[in-house]
Amino acid sequence: MSEADMTEHPPDNVVYLARTERGQGRAIPGRIERLRRHVEGRLVGSLRQGLHEAQERLHELAGGGEQGDAYRQDMQMVRLHRHDMEEVLRAGLEYRFAGLIDPAAVDPPPTPAHHSAAARILTDLRSRTAATTEPTTRALDAALPTVRVREPLNPLAAAQVADLLLRVQQRPPLAAPAQEVVLETLGDAVGRMLPDLHREAVAQLTGDGAADPAGPSAATSVADETRFAARAVRSRDRVEAARQRVSEEIERCLEWRRPPALIEQLIRDAWARLLLLIHLSDGADSENWVRHCAVMERLVWSVDTPPDATSRRRLVLEIPLLLHEVADGLREVLHDPFEVSKVLRALEAEYLNCLTRGDPGLAQFSARNDDTAAASHREGDVRRVAALPEGTWMEIGGAQGERLRVRLAGHTADGRLIFANRAGFKVLERSTEALAAAVADGQAKLLDDHELLNDGLSRVIRRLVERRAGHGE
């Protein structure tokens, strides 16, 4: 672009959204990125409200009888996966907004089957946004002169939002009746908010009104927020309300369940203190709160899984990451490292019993002093990296210096390793040489290593993962 062109058409601020795969990036105009963040915040807030309402409806349906037991299990699945459901929403929304920059990179949402719950949700959303969709589409089209934006590309159109909700609802494994309950509740929660979100988007893109991408609290200065937070923490009523919310969350998590005494004591003591601190500092609508409540749900699930092969395979994949997340939380409230270590060792023993129960050969294998297996955690050569079985959890340094906890999901045709997050979305790729060098430099490590897992549990997990991948005995 010439200097004259730049003077005539001053460029909008550009945000480069780094794509961790192969280090590529995508340039997005600043106003579109600010809108995406605003839309994400509003949709995630409505999703949390909808999931809360869905849990209450499933709880009401979980009465006596076999059908009640099914609804109760589905309610627990929703609680277990609610953080993953938020990640699905965020990833799907980012995908739809990418279509505003590169229309060829996205596919139109599929048309739901007639008379299905998804079709009803789509009809309802279209009815609610009949007067607001077209102004939103025109505002997006005006903000992106290089792309012709019509309703099929509008990330806030009813079809795109309905497709997002359907994908979110499909994340937890639910029976068909519970799927309809969850989808309808989410559709209602989002539908109540969507027309206002359309108007906010138009105001933000056109500069009319006072729609602020950071929400109502953005007008508050940093100093005012600090003083407000300090007053809130000191407030007895706020602390008591936080204690009550933490207690309700824990009781709902443990309802109809009988976890081992070790797990229940951990949740009611250390984890309750952690949730209280998070509630006071970040609030119950924060991602931090949802994530740590999900860890609590996964912790109870991990010792309450059915003794079938499928559940045990999933447990094998979950244990390394779950123990690290529990350890991170415990360090926030148990400042004595010996106390943290004591709790983790007790958890390891519990998991070791779960995994080796009914398998004498595996129990004997866990007791061996296998120096070769221990050394493999510390070796970073290409041969061992290439032989890592799918399902291996690792912590790898990201492009911005962040620490990413990811699972090996597969390999490309040229031998590169593909890593995904807990929600199953691809996060990054690494060649075997680059990953081996990162391990040697301390920029990457296995999460089932000796920093956390004891020798016996680490060996059992590796043997079970190898059996699943077809490499074991």
Side-chain angles (χ1 to χ4, degrees):
M1 180 181 292
S2 68
E3 185 175 350
D5 291 335
M6 294 181 65
T7 303
E8 183 180 356
H9 304 287
D12 189 14
N13 291 332
V14 172
V15 175
Y16 288 90
L17 297 181
R19 300 172 86 187
T20 49
E21 61 209 53
R22 299 183 183 273
Q24 296 175 347
R26 184 190 301 275
I28 293 184
R31 69 174 68 180
I32 300 299
E33 171 60 9
R34 289 192 295 272
L35 176 63
R36 186 195 66 79
R37 289 198 298 263
H38 176 61
V39 170
E40 179 183 295
R42 294 281 270 140
L43 283 179
V44 168
S46 292
L47 174 66
R48 290 171 182 168
Q49 178 63 33
L51 288 177
H52 175 73
E53 294 171 4
Q55 291 171 44
E56 293 302 318
R57 287 184 60 184
L58 292 173
H59 186 267
E60 292 172 1
L61 294 169
E66 182 178 343
Q67 188 68 16
D69 290 340
Y71 278 118
R72 181 167 61 250
Q73 293 173 3
D74 287 328
M75 183 195 71
Q76 292 170 350
M77 283 293 103
V78 171
R79 293 178 58 83
L80 180 65
H81 290 279
R82 55 186 170 174
H83 185 255
D84 296 341
M85 295 165 83
E86 288 187 15
E87 293 302 307
V88 171
L89 177 66
R90 291 188 175 96
L93 190 63
E94 185 172 340
Y95 172 77
R96 287 298 168 194
F97 266 85
L100 292 174
I101 310 304
D102 183 6
V106 298
D107 296 320
T111 303
H114 289 297
H115 307 300
S116 65
R120 293 195 298 272
I121 296 301
L122 177 56
T123 301
D124 180 63
L125 291 180
R126 280 178 171 160
S127 175
R128 292 177 188 253
T129 60
T132 58
T133 299
E134 181 59 27
T136 308
T137 303
R138 289 199 303 267
L140 285 167
D141 186 56
L144 292 164
T146 61
V147 178
R148 188 174 179 83
V149 179
R150 293 295 179 260
E151 185 173 329
L153 275 183
N154 183 352
L156 301 180
Q160 280 76 356
V161 175
D163 182 58
L164 274 179
L165 296 181
L166 181 61
R167 294 175 185 275
V168 167
Q169 170 261 314
Q170 291 172 341
R171 180 65 181 90
L174 304 177
Q179 288 180 350
E180 290 201 10
V181 169
V182 172
L183 185 58
E184 290 174 357
T185 308
L186 293 182
D188 183 60
V190 172
R192 295 194 301 264
M193 175 274 302
L194 194 56
D196 288 338
L197 182 58
H198 281 187
R199 286 185 281 270
E200 293 164 11
V202 171
Q204 186 174 321
L205 290 170
T206 61
D208 297 333
D212 194 322
S217 63
T220 308
S221 68
V222 175
D224 288 341
E225 290 179 349
T226 303
R227 287 195 294 272
F228 176 82
R231 288 196 302 270
V233 171
R234 290 196 299 267
S235 169
R236 181 184 299 273
D237 291 342
R238 179 174 169 80
V239 172
E240 288 305 315
R243 291 185 189 278
Q244 179 65 24
R245 178 60 189 273
V246 170
S247 176
E248 291 172 357
E249 196 72 24
I250 290 175
E251 293 306 322
R252 180 59 61 88
C253 174
L254 297 176
E255 190 174 21
W256 296 308
R257 289 164 159 176
R258 292 184 178 179
L262 166 70
I263 302 296
E264 183 169 356
Q265 181 181 356
L266 169 61
I267 290 174
R268 294 189 181 279
D269 183 12
W271 214 255
R273 280 184 276 162
L274 176 63
L275 291 179
L276 179 62
L277 290 176
I278 294 173
H279 193 291
L280 291 173
S281 61
D282 300 336
D285 291 328
S286 66
E287 191 273 341
N288 201 22
W289 168 270
V290 174
R291 179 163 53 85
H292 283 87
C293 286
V295 171
M296 176 175 67
E297 293 285 344
R298 289 162 53 211
L299 184 61
V300 175
W301 167 85
S302 68
V303 293
D304 192 34
T305 52
D308 57 87
T310 301
S311 298
R312 190 164 78 160
R313 283 197 298 269
R314 183 182 170 192
L315 181 59
V316 167
L317 297 177
E318 281 280 346
I319 284 177
L321 180 63
L322 180 57
L323 278 176
H324 274 265
E325 290 176 330
V326 170
D328 289 344
L330 291 178
R331 294 186 186 104
E332 297 289 329
V333 291
L334 299 179
H335 303 295
D336 183 353
F338 295 103
E339 187 67 21
V340 174
S341 178
K342 178 181 176 182
V343 174
L344 293 177
R345 292 297 173 261
L347 277 175
E348 290 169 357
E350 189 72 40
Y351 288 136
L352 192 57
N353 289 333
C354 290
L355 293 175
T356 59
R357 190 179 299 123
D359 193 334
L362 196 59
Q364 183 179 7
F365 177 74
S366 71
R368 283 168 35 191
N369 183 16
D370 192 341
D371 294 333
T372 302
S376 68
H377 292 293
R378 299 186 295 272
E379 293 183 16
D381 59 276
V382 175
R383 181 179 60 83
R384 292 188 181 278
V385 167
L388 286 175
E390 292 184 15
T392 299
W393 282 96
M394 297 193 72
E395 185 174 85
I396 302 175
Q400 307 301 323
E402 72 277 23
R403 305 297 292 181
L404 303 173
R405 287 179 175 174
V406 292
R407 177 174 57 84
L408 180 58
H411 299 76
T412 64
D414 58 357
R416 294 172 64 87
L417 288 78
I418 302 173
F419 291 92
N421 59 16
R422 285 197 69 251
F425 289 101
K426 177 181 173 181
V427 174
L428 53 83
E429 289 182 11
R430 289 288 186 272
S431 67
T432 52
E433 294 82 1
L435 185 58
V439 171
D441 295 339
Q443 297 301 309
K445 66 178 181 179
L446 294 171
L447 282 185
D448 56 344
D449 57 19
H450 293 304
E451 292 185 10
L452 188 59
L453 275 65
N454 63 31
D455 292 349
L457 182 58
S458 179
R459 284 195 294 274
V460 166
I461 288 177
R462 282 191 162 277
R463 177 55 60 90
L464 288 171
V465 169
E466 288 169 357
R467 284 183 183 178
R468 177 174 178 267
H471 302 316
E473 56 188 25

